[in-house]
Amino acid sequence: MSRPAIHNLREVLRSQAIQPTFQPVVQLEDGSVKAYEALARFHAAHFSSPADAFAAATEAGVGVELELLAIERALAYLDDLPPGILLTTNLSVEALLTRQVCETLLAHASRGIAVELTEHTQVLDYPALVEVTEELRAAGILIAVDDAGAGFASLSHILQLRPDIIKLDITLTRGVDTDPVRMALARSLVGFAEDIGALLIAEGIETVAEHEKLRSLGVRLGQGYFMARPGPLPILPPAVL
């Protein structure tokens, strides 16, 4: 790793230089917001993209430390959420298996949060992961599997963890209005999610045609640039005394 990258990592961790941004999850039927996904953003002088930042942190052996900082910064905005709206945060399996990360989540368990597992590699110790996710779920934290349908890892997570939320990967959403195979898979996942009592969220909706096709297939919740790009949380009206 280059010296500038190491320097930038140290600076981000030292100054907590992560600015969360939030992308809404909406009900496709009427556009009402049901949740916000917290996304970490970095100053361009430090890293050109979040993926670069987390990749550099993993290479430097501080990946979990950076993920912990990201969720701490996101959770600091809980009071700014509209009533009844869920906040979702992204975590790798490695981070979730770290006790400090788990304790941080548990400290906010009553606030309406969900954890999206973003691991893209095979998990070697599912019993340990299930133990943690069950502890979080017992405290009221929802468990989501991200990128469903994108590969082996997400399907294994679904089978092992019995998630509360399944997020349909963007590669399956994109072009779903014209591809019979994508339509069939989306329709199957709608039925699967209903059978196990999970919410299904379609990620990466970018066109009106994708939006309408997913609605017709029975997908109720969605996220993507067609509805809203990531941005700041809405400003809440002042409380009435």
Side-chain angles (χ1 to χ4, degrees):
M1 181 186 298
S2 67
R3 287 185 178 179
I6 294 174
H7 170 78
N8 289 339
L9 270 175
R10 289 174 178 167
E11 178 60 23
V12 167
L13 292 170
R14 182 194 65 79
S15 60
Q16 300 189 340
I18 295 179
Q19 177 57 54
T21 188
F22 302 88
Q23 186 172 30
V25 175
V26 307
Q27 189 163 289
L28 299 186
E29 183 67 30
D30 59 11
S32 59
V33 175
K34 299 300 181 183
Y36 283 97
E37 180 183 359
L39 302 166
R41 293 293 182 261
F42 299 83
H43 194 283
H46 291 147
F47 294 99
S48 59
S49 72
D52 288 342
F54 286 106
T58 299
E59 184 180 348
V62 293
V64 171
E65 187 176 352
L66 189 64
E67 288 189 64
L68 177 59
L69 174 59
I71 65 166
E72 288 174 338
R73 295 286 292 120
L75 293 172
Y77 284 80
L78 278 169
D79 288 340
D80 297 329
L81 283 175
I85 300 299
L86 189 72
L87 179 69
T88 75
T89 61
N90 296 281
L91 282 173
S92 68
V93 170
E94 182 185 8
L96 195 59
L97 290 174
T98 303
R99 196 61 207 172
Q100 187 178 359
V101 172
C102 189
E103 293 292 347
T104 299
L105 293 168
L106 289 170
H108 298 82
S110 64
R111 303 296 300 278
I113 60 175
V115 174
E116 297 186 26
L117 289 178
T118 59
E119 192 74 29
H120 295 285
T121 57
Q122 187 173 0
V123 177
L124 300 179
D125 190 355
Y126 264 114
L129 180 59
V130 169
E131 183 177 353
V132 170
T133 56
E134 287 304 307
E135 180 183 9
L136 296 176
R137 186 180 281 119
I141 297 172
L142 301 182
I143 304 301
V145 170
D146 203 9
D147 303 331
F152 174 82
S154 64
L155 294 178
S156 295
H157 288 352
I158 291 171
L159 291 173
Q160 296 285 343
L161 303 179
R162 305 294 198 270
D164 306 289
I165 300 169
I166 298 171
K167 300 195 77 173
L168 186 65
D169 187 65
I170 188 173
T171 59
L172 302 180
T173 299
R174 185 164 295 160
V176 68
D177 55 302
T178 59
D179 185 349
V181 175
R182 284 179 168 82
M183 293 180 204
L185 184 52
R187 187 183 297 110
S188 297
L189 284 172
V190 168
F192 176 79
E194 290 177 350
D195 287 346
I196 68 170
L199 296 173
L200 182 67
I201 300 172
E203 294 185 286
I205 302 173
E206 296 187 351
T207 68
V208 64
E210 291 169 352
H211 180 278
E212 292 307 304
K213 176 53 66 175
L214 288 164
R215 278 185 60 192
S216 72
L217 294 172
V219 178
R220 297 179 181 177
L221 298 171
Q223 188 176 9
Y225 285 2
F226 174 70
M227 289 84 74
R229 292 176 177 267
L233 289 173
I235 298 175
L236 296 178
V240 177
L241 299 178

